[in-house]
Amino acid sequence: MLSAIATVRKIKHTGWLLMALLWVIPLRAQEPVDTLAVRLIREEGLERSQVMATMFWLTDVYGPRLTGSPLLDSAMAWAARRLESWGLANVHREPWGPFGRGWTLHHVRAEVTAPVAFPVLAYPKAWSPDIDGPVTAEVVRFDVEDTSAFAAYRGKLRGKIVLLEPPRELREPFEPLARRRDAEDLLALANAARPEGGGRRYSAEVLRQLELAQRRLQFLYEEQPLAILDRGYRGDYGTVFVDAADVPAAPGTPWYERPGPWEPGVRVIPQFTVAVEHYNRIYRLLERGFRVEMTLDLDVSFNDDDPYEYNLIAELPGTDPRIGDEVVMLGAHFDSWHAGTGATDNAAGSAVMMEAMRILKAVYDWLGRGPRRTIRLALWTGEEQGLLGSRAYVDQHFAELRGWGQPPGRLKPEHEKFSVYFNLDNGGGKIRGVYLQGNEAVAPIFRAWLAPFHDLGAATLSLRNTGGTDHLSFDAVGLPGFQFIQDHLAYGTRTHHSNMDVFDHVIEDDLKQAATIIAAFAYHAAERDERIPRKPLPMPEGTY
Amino acid sequence: MLSAIATVRKIKHTGWLLMALLWVIPLRAQEPVDTLAVRLIREEGLERSQVMATMFWLTDVYGPRLTGSPLLDSAMAWAARRLESWGLANVHREPWGPFGRGWTLHHVRAEVTAPVAFPVLAYPKAWSPDIDGPVTAEVVRFDVEDTSAFAAYRGKLRGKIVLLEPPRELREPFEPLARRRDAEDLLALANAARPEGGGRRYSAEVLRQLELAQRRLQFLYEEQPLAILDRGYRGDYGTVFVDAADVPAAPGTPWYERPGPWEPGVRVIPQFTVAVEHYNRIYRLLERGFRVEMTLDLDVSFNDDDPYEYNLIAELPGTDPRIGDEVVMLGAHFDSWHAGTGATDNAAGSAVMMEAMRILKAVYDWLGRGPRRTIRLALWTGEEQGLLGSRAYVDQHFAELRGWGQPPGRLKPEHEKFSVYFNLDNGGGKIRGVYLQGNEAVAPIFRAWLAPFHDLGAATLSLRNTGGTDHLSFDAVGLPGFQFIQDHLAYGTRTHHSNMDVFDHVIEDDLKQAATIIAAFAYHAAERDERIPRKPLPMPEGTY
């Protein structure tokens, strides 16, 4: 069979008009699908993929990529060079911030030394300061179910190593830790109702527990233990989920206004997340009356030479005189947590989006033209600290952001020029469809665009909202922003924010599939006569 | 409902004869089952279990229990005290050996420092000597597919850190890591044919690979690298399987005659097993041309004050004038590897066998008498180094052992007084039946004894041999020795010899079930008129 590229070679000689006639073959009456472009994209994405080479550099060489850290800067410099080498235009960094301090882990040591010696698998929570050690100290429990229990601990924790929480009971893995979405799962998504407005509601008990957690932290910060240990709420068998050190907030402070340990001048007590089995063992020894001692050492560095952070931008410039300044965006966050190398969160999304741009460049080169609209890649930073990079970008370009859950302020001229944003940040699993974020008008469009990819497992549209990543920054100002439905793999159980979020746990075929489908979505969005339809603005409170 | 113990209280007043008549109610025509004893055993084992308390001490406090190590001695001293506190008789240690040196890990540090810094999850292989560090050295590959490749490495490895093997490709855990035996699995065991004689046969290719591995080791010992790293053949996501350091053997040496790193005077090069993800990352960096450096530090201690090791023995003495000196044995190995605490291998078996003895003592106390035959517990050491403790015991008590695969020499008087040995050492999974080890005559007996435990999932007899643990020492001299069929749980995939073989990964209900069933087996074997039938002696070559 003639390869698609050979076909294009032939067709090229017949001129542009004929090509346009041949290529745009509507599969649905309403929404055209460019089947030849899809063939070219599939060939480039599935047969000449470079996504795993990109993954290698982003993880093995330049991982982890904690926001603010020098390694993130190196990773971004590498990505910029790579994007330029692929021929993308306007490759540049756009600053946001000020963010605060960077942090790099150099050495951690954690060992129980009494009553029996054993090495402890533990990771410092990000922005924990040095422990000038090795220091050996007593480990103590801090079992408080309400604030009245604090009194018993007053004056007794200074210089100690404190266990923040009770043990966590484990269950053996009789269920698979990795899974793909099955028909039942996808059908539930397909049948989901249009999401109602309204933010998260917490029960009184949950709110009490959250408030108690803050009071516990505040008490510990007053008492000045040597270090605070927790065991996380998930992970076992050597997989440890680790994020940032906690800093107490004043009563009633909403989560998005709490001080971050990266902020200048914020005092941080060293904190470690410990493998649950080791944590439980220490706790049991204490319960039985043993005096437990640990040796800790922690060598980190902070950097605050440049308090600003950067999103990385690259483009395939639009070439249509009428709509060339309109923008289709692809994005993924480039920053990661620090215990692994951020392979599935979110080197995978970054590598896939870079790869989608590479595929598009190759395909447009074969077509001998550029896209009608501008296709713009954004690799965000500060996502893990609250979508900071993408929110700043939206604020700078599209509409004034006025805080979480608030309607946007003044719209900017670029708001009108914007078509759609596609995001990938739910791990390394292949694409199974799209969350429509309540935008019913896009359903027929995306359904048509998915049609050529049913054989790759991507077919499902869900009206459901999905959250937790950078498309929300666009959705919040009435711009179409979408996150794909992805297979779970072991994201929730093993890799998301864990020490084992590393290169070996991404699946090449899944990344290739995702890059291919996203390239086709971007292609169709760029070539389409109209921009992508929007939800009404201002949105009902609570939907953004 | 009247509890079984209350029933016994009443029955006690009616005298021995009536009790005997009431209790021994044959469920099968051939083999009697003592249903009241079973009720008492079930109540004691399932409702008043102490097995998890025993597990706590053997793992959290006295784990790991590497053969030769001081912590093993402490664990054994604790177990002896506990067995005595339960009222068992003749609690004593029996020496075997000389074994060699003990080894204890105090501190390990492994970090990649260039081209990018990251902590490496790595464990020293047992009996690795100190690295007087921290020392930073270059990491190099050692890719040899045959001995002709050695020349290229000659003189280049001294002081380096050598990667022993290629990366291992990982698969995501789409299958459950823990599982129970299903009907299909049990049916295959039930339908298995009587095992044929004949030892393991290796293909020429496997033999070539084994021989090459020895030549590689020999070459590395000549070249004197700083350390040798491997990544094991199983484990991922933070679970690392670790056993002993390797020492090269002369060409053609069978495995059971290879020098152990514990032997006095044997030189050992420091060896580490590294989490596969970290190993693979290092390898990939080297493949791409990066110079990789690691910092290693290792602080261990050797002890050779007493080159002898000990099995721990405890008894419920036989009381029948005719057969009281005949012996029914329960056993499990007490030693473990060192990266975890040896919870499923084999604190579980040890705790279950101790618990079975406790149950039996309690039940015989309720019955107001002792067992007819002596019931003897043995907790073996040196199992992980080649069934050393149990083989020595068999050699000392029952028959001269003359090397692996050889028929036994002179039989000793105790050989005639021996009834049966039951072993537990396939992890923490509950009992599903018994491997009959080709002994068809025991099938009707064990079938009857399992009948009261079908509701607990134990019903299957398999003629199949199972190997790898201490019942083989008995089987090798024609004595009935059996290992139970157990549920797998996560033994093969996560715990067996791993850093995560720890307390949290045993399941209380499984251990209770196993202790209860084994107590009942021991009870019936002790009370039975005849000893357990034996396979003919001498056995056909290769069956032992």
Side-chain angles (χ1 to χ4, degrees):
Chain A
M1 197 180 108
L2 207 64
S3 83
I5 282 171
T7 310
V8 173
R9 270 188 218 274
K10 287 194 174 177
I11 293 171
K12 268 185 166 180
H13 297 284
T14 67
W16 277 100
L17 188 63
L18 180 58
M19 286 168 61
L21 289 172
L22 278 169
W23 293 2
V24 184
I25 302 159
L27 290 184
R28 298 277 182 285
Q30 299 84 351
E31 185 66 25
V33 168
D34 186 333
T35 51
L36 187 51
V38 167
R39 267 186 77 185
L40 289 166
I41 287 169
R42 286 179 69 123
E43 276 195 21
E44 189 64 32
L46 301 177
E47 292 168 30
R48 287 180 294 279
S49 177
Q50 295 190 28
V51 73
M52 291 307 278
T54 304
M55 280 300 297
F56 164 75
W57 286 94
L58 294 185
T59 58
D60 285 345
V61 182
Y62 295 118
R65 302 168 309 284
L66 186 72
T67 299
S69 72
L71 207 51
L72 174 62
D73 292 340
S74 302
M76 191 169 278
W78 175 86
R81 290 195 302 276
R82 183 55 49 111
L83 291 165
E84 279 179 338
S85 79
W86 289 338
L88 297 178
N90 305 332
V91 179
H92 67 284
R93 304 190 309 168
E94 294 197 15
W96 60 268
F99 168 72
R101 306 177 284 187
W103 180 90
T104 301
L105 169 65
H106 299 293
H107 171 60
V108 55
R109 172 176 178 172
E111 293 160 2
V112 168
T113 52
V116 55
F118 60 94
V120 172
L121 179 60
Y123 295 86
K125 299 176 83 166
W127 291 284
S128 286
D130 271 349
I131 291 176
D132 192 13
V135 178
T136 300
E138 186 183 357
V139 186
V140 295
R141 293 155 65 185
F142 179 57
D143 297 331
V144 291
E145 279 308 306
D146 55 62
T147 51
S148 69
F150 288 171
Y153 291 97
R154 181 72 72 189
K156 294 181 181 163
L157 303 179
R158 192 179 183 95
K160 304 283 174 68
I161 298 166
V162 174
L163 300 187
L164 183 67
E165 52 193 352
R168 174 156 56 87
E169 199 175 338
L170 301 186
R171 290 189 197 167
E172 291 306 288
F174 290 110
E175 297 298 320
L177 292 173
R179 67 184 194 86
R180 296 197 179 275
R181 291 180 186 275
D182 57 18
E184 192 178 352
D185 191 357
L186 290 167
L187 183 62
L189 285 171
N191 291 339
R194 189 168 182 285
E196 298 287 326
R200 280 184 226 179
R201 296 272 182 276
Y202 291 114
S203 71
E205 176 55 21
V206 168
L207 289 172
R208 194 188 74 81
Q209 289 295 336
L210 290 172
E211 187 57 29
L212 177 62
Q214 286 301 312
R215 299 289 69 74
R216 275 205 308 254
L217 263 184
Q218 190 171 43
F219 180 82
L220 290 175
Y221 268 72
E222 287 161 14
E223 295 297 306
Q224 299 192 44
L226 175 67
I228 303 169
L229 310 189
D230 67 49
R231 40 61 180 169
Y233 66 90
R234 56 181 172 166
D236 59 7
Y237 275 121
T239 302
V240 185
F241 292 80
V242 192
D243 49 30
D246 291 306
V247 177
T253 312
W255 70 265
Y256 51 86
E257 285 176 12
R258 282 190 206 150
W262 52 84
E263 290 175 26
V266 167
R267 183 171 67 94
V268 182
I269 289 183
Q271 290 160 53
F272 297 81
T273 301
V274 175
V276 62
E277 294 89 345
H278 294 161
Y279 188 97
N280 288 358
R281 183 181 182 185
I282 295 166
Y283 197 97
R284 285 189 299 265
L285 288 167
L286 290 171
E287 266 185 325
R288 293 289 191 127
F290 286 96
R291 179 187 165 90
V292 178
E293 292 182 359
M294 281 184 77
T295 296
L296 292 178
D297 195 4
L298 181 59
D299 180 14
V300 303
S301 60
F302 288 89
N303 58 291
D304 50 10
D305 45 312
D306 176 4
Y308 284 84
E309 291 303 310
Y310 302 87
N311 299 314
L312 183 63
I313 306 296
E315 291 183 348
L316 284 167
T319 57
D320 185 298
R322 185 176 64 84
I323 57 171
D325 61 345
E326 289 183 0
V327 178
V328 167
M329 283 189 75
L330 304 181
H333 76 86
F334 195 68
D335 63 305
S336 78
W337 288 111
H338 60 291
T341 56
T344 69
D345 189 17
N346 189 20
S350 298
V352 162
M353 289 306 188
M354 288 174 69
E355 175 73 0
M357 293 299 280
R358 190 194 65 75
I359 294 166
L360 286 162
K361 181 66 169 68
V363 167
Y364 279 114
D365 283 353
W366 276 109
L367 298 179
R369 61 177 179 92
R372 294 183 68 194
R373 286 189 184 79
T374 294
I375 302 175
R376 181 183 296 161
L377 169 71
L379 298 176
W380 314 114
T381 53
E383 192 270 354
E384 297 294 3
Q385 289 71 38
L387 319 186
L388 301 182
S390 62
R391 284 176 63 81
Y393 187 88
V394 166
D395 184 66
Q396 290 162 10
H397 288 268
F398 303 118
E400 281 171 9
L401 282 176
R402 301 194 304 185
W404 283 87
Q406 303 298 316
R410 190 177 61 83
L411 304 186
K412 304 187 177 183
E414 288 179 66
H415 193 277
E416 193 51 34
K417 296 289 182 184
F418 188 85
S419 176
V420 64
Y421 172 74
F422 293 110
N423 193 74
L424 198 72
D425 181 28
N426 287 356
K430 70 180 177 187
I431 288 176
R432 308 304 302 274
V434 193
Y435 293 105
L436 300 185
Q437 219 67 22
N439 183 340
E440 294 193 85
V442 297
I445 304 168
F446 290 176
R447 186 170 292 119
W449 293 356
L450 281 177
F453 299 105
H454 285 198
D455 66 316
L456 299 181
T460 300
L461 298 179
S462 177
L463 276 173
R464 193 172 288 177
N465 283 338
T466 191
T469 184
D470 294 298
H471 67 293
L472 292 183
S473 302
F474 293 81
D475 194 58
V477 300
L479 295 177
F482 303 98
Q483 159 71 35
F484 292 90
I485 299 167
Q486 296 178 252
D487 269 341
H488 302 290
L489 308 184
Y491 191 57
T493 58
R494 291 291 116 174
T495 66
H496 175 245
H497 299 183
S498 88
N499 62 330
M500 286 294 146
D501 189 8
V502 295
F503 181 91
D504 290 279
H505 297 301
V506 296
I507 298 177
E508 182 171 0
D509 284 345
D510 284 57
L511 299 191
K512 286 179 180 173
Q513 186 258 27
T516 301
I517 292 173
I518 290 171
F521 266 61
Y523 177 88
H524 284 120
E527 300 302 313
R528 189 171 194 272
D529 285 338
E530 302 300 323
R531 293 172 314 167
I532 293 297
R534 301 178 179 192
K535 292 188 285 189
L537 216 184
M539 299 80 70
E541 199 166 341
T543 57
Y544 37 84
Chain B
M1 196 181 106
L2 208 62
S3 82
I5 282 171
T7 310
V8 173
R9 271 189 218 273
K10 288 194 174 176
I11 292 170
K12 269 184 165 176
H13 296 284
T14 68
W16 278 101
L17 189 63
L18 181 58
M19 285 169 63
L21 288 173
L22 279 170
W23 292 1
V24 184
I25 303 159
L27 290 183
R28 297 278 182 283
Q30 299 82 351
E31 185 67 24
V33 168
D34 186 334
T35 51
L36 186 50
V38 166
R39 266 186 77 185
L40 290 167
I41 288 168
R42 286 179 69 124
E43 275 194 20
E44 189 64 32
L46 301 177
E47 293 168 29
R48 286 181 293 280
S49 178
Q50 295 191 27
V51 73
M52 291 306 278
T54 304
M55 280 300 297
F56 164 75
W57 288 93
L58 294 185
T59 58
D60 285 346
V61 182
Y62 295 118
R65 302 168 309 283
L66 186 72
T67 298
S69 71
L71 207 50
L72 173 63
D73 292 339
S74 302
M76 191 169 277
W78 176 85
R81 290 195 302 275
R82 183 55 49 110
L83 291 165
E84 279 180 339
S85 78
W86 290 338
L88 297 178
N90 304 333
V91 178
H92 67 284
R93 305 189 309 168
E94 295 197 14
W96 60 269
F99 169 71
R101 306 177 283 188
W103 181 89
T104 301
L105 169 64
H106 299 294
H107 172 60
V108 55
R109 172 176 178 174
E111 293 160 2
V112 168
T113 52
V116 55
F118 60 94
V120 172
L121 179 60
Y123 295 86
K125 299 177 83 167
W127 291 284
S128 286
D130 271 348
I131 291 177
D132 191 14
V135 178
T136 300
E138 187 184 357
V139 186
V140 295
R141 292 155 65 186
F142 180 56
D143 297 331
V144 291
E145 279 308 308
D146 55 62
T147 51
S148 69
F150 289 171
Y153 291 96
R154 182 71 73 189
K156 294 179 180 163
L157 303 179
R158 193 180 181 96
K160 304 284 175 66
I161 297 165
V162 174
L163 301 187
L164 183 67
E165 52 193 352
R168 173 158 54 89
E169 198 176 338
L170 302 186
R171 291 188 197 167
E172 291 306 288
F174 291 110
E175 296 299 319
L177 292 172
R179 67 184 194 85
R180 297 198 178 276
R181 291 180 186 275
D182 57 17
E184 191 177 354
D185 190 357
L186 290 167
L187 183 62
L189 285 171
N191 291 339
R194 188 167 182 284
E196 298 289 323
R200 282 184 222 179
R201 296 273 182 275
Y202 291 115
S203 71
E205 176 55 22
V206 167
L207 289 172
R208 195 188 74 80
Q209 288 294 337
L210 290 172
E211 187 57 28
L212 178 62
Q214 287 300 312
R215 299 289 69 76
R216 276 206 306 255
L217 263 184
Q218 190 170 44
F219 180 83
L220 290 176
Y221 268 73
E222 288 161 15
E223 296 296 308
Q224 301 192 42
L226 174 68
I228 303 169
L229 310 189
D230 66 49
R231 40 61 180 170
Y233 66 91
R234 55 180 173 167
D236 59 7
Y237 275 120
T239 302
V240 185
F241 292 81
V242 191
D243 50 29
D246 290 307
V247 177
T253 312
W255 69 266
Y256 51 87
E257 285 177 12
R258 281 191 207 148
W262 53 85
E263 290 175 26
V266 167
R267 184 170 66 93
V268 182
I269 288 183
Q271 290 159 54
F272 297 81
T273 301
V274 175
V276 61
E277 294 90 345
H278 295 160
Y279 188 97
N280 288 359
R281 182 180 183 186
I282 295 166
Y283 197 97
R284 285 188 299 265
L285 288 167
L286 291 171
E287 266 184 325
R288 293 290 191 129
F290 285 97
R291 179 188 165 90
V292 178
E293 292 182 358
M294 280 184 77
T295 297
L296 291 178
D297 195 3
L298 180 58
D299 180 15
V300 303
S301 60
F302 288 89
N303 58 291
D304 50 10
D305 45 312
D306 176 3
Y308 283 84
E309 291 303 310
Y310 301 88
N311 299 315
L312 182 64
I313 306 296
E315 290 183 349
L316 284 166
T319 56
D320 185 297
R322 186 176 65 85
I323 58 172
D325 61 346
E326 289 183 359
V327 178
V328 168
M329 283 189 75
L330 305 182
H333 77 85
F334 195 68
D335 63 305
S336 78
W337 288 111
H338 59 291
T341 56
T344 69
D345 190 17
N346 191 20
S350 298
V352 162
M353 289 306 187
M354 288 175 68
E355 174 73 359
M357 294 298 281
R358 190 193 66 75
I359 295 167
L360 287 162
K361 179 67 170 68
V363 167
Y364 279 114
D365 283 354
W366 276 109
L367 298 179
R369 62 176 178 93
R372 295 183 67 195
R373 286 189 184 80
T374 294
I375 303 175
R376 181 183 297 162
L377 169 72
L379 298 176
W380 314 114
T381 54
E383 192 270 355
E384 297 293 3
Q385 289 73 37
L387 319 186
L388 301 181
S390 62
R391 283 176 63 81
Y393 186 87
V394 166
D395 185 66
Q396 290 163 10
H397 287 268
F398 303 117
E400 281 171 9
L401 283 176
R402 301 193 305 186
W404 284 87
Q406 302 297 317
R410 190 179 59 85
L411 303 186
K412 304 187 176 182
E414 288 179 65
H415 193 277
E416 193 50 36
K417 296 288 183 185
F418 188 85
S419 176
V420 63
Y421 172 74
F422 294 110
N423 192 74
L424 199 70
D425 181 28
N426 286 356
K430 71 179 178 187
I431 289 176
R432 308 303 302 274
V434 193
Y435 292 104
L436 300 185
Q437 220 66 24
N439 182 340
E440 295 194 82
V442 298
I445 302 167
F446 290 176
R447 186 170 292 119
W449 294 355
L450 281 177
F453 299 105
H454 286 197
D455 66 317
L456 299 181
T460 301
L461 299 179
S462 177
L463 276 172
R464 193 171 287 177
N465 283 338
T466 190
T469 184
D470 294 298
H471 68 294
L472 292 182
S473 301
F474 293 81
D475 194 58
V477 301
L479 294 177
F482 302 98
Q483 159 70 34
F484 292 90
I485 299 167
Q486 295 177 254
D487 269 341
H488 303 288
L489 308 185
Y491 192 55
T493 58
R494 292 291 117 175
T495 66
H496 175 245
H497 299 184
S498 88
N499 61 330
M500 286 294 146
D501 189 9
V502 294
F503 181 91
D504 290 280
H505 297 302
V506 296
I507 297 176
E508 181 170 359
D509 284 345
D510 284 57
L511 299 191
K512 286 180 180 173
Q513 186 257 27
T516 301
I517 291 173
I518 290 171
F521 266 61
Y523 176 89
H524 284 119
E527 299 302 313
R528 189 172 195 271
D529 285 336
E530 301 301 322
R531 293 171 315 165
I532 292 297
R534 302 177 178 193
K535 292 188 284 189
L537 218 183
M539 298 80 70
E541 199 166 339
T543 58
Y544 36 84

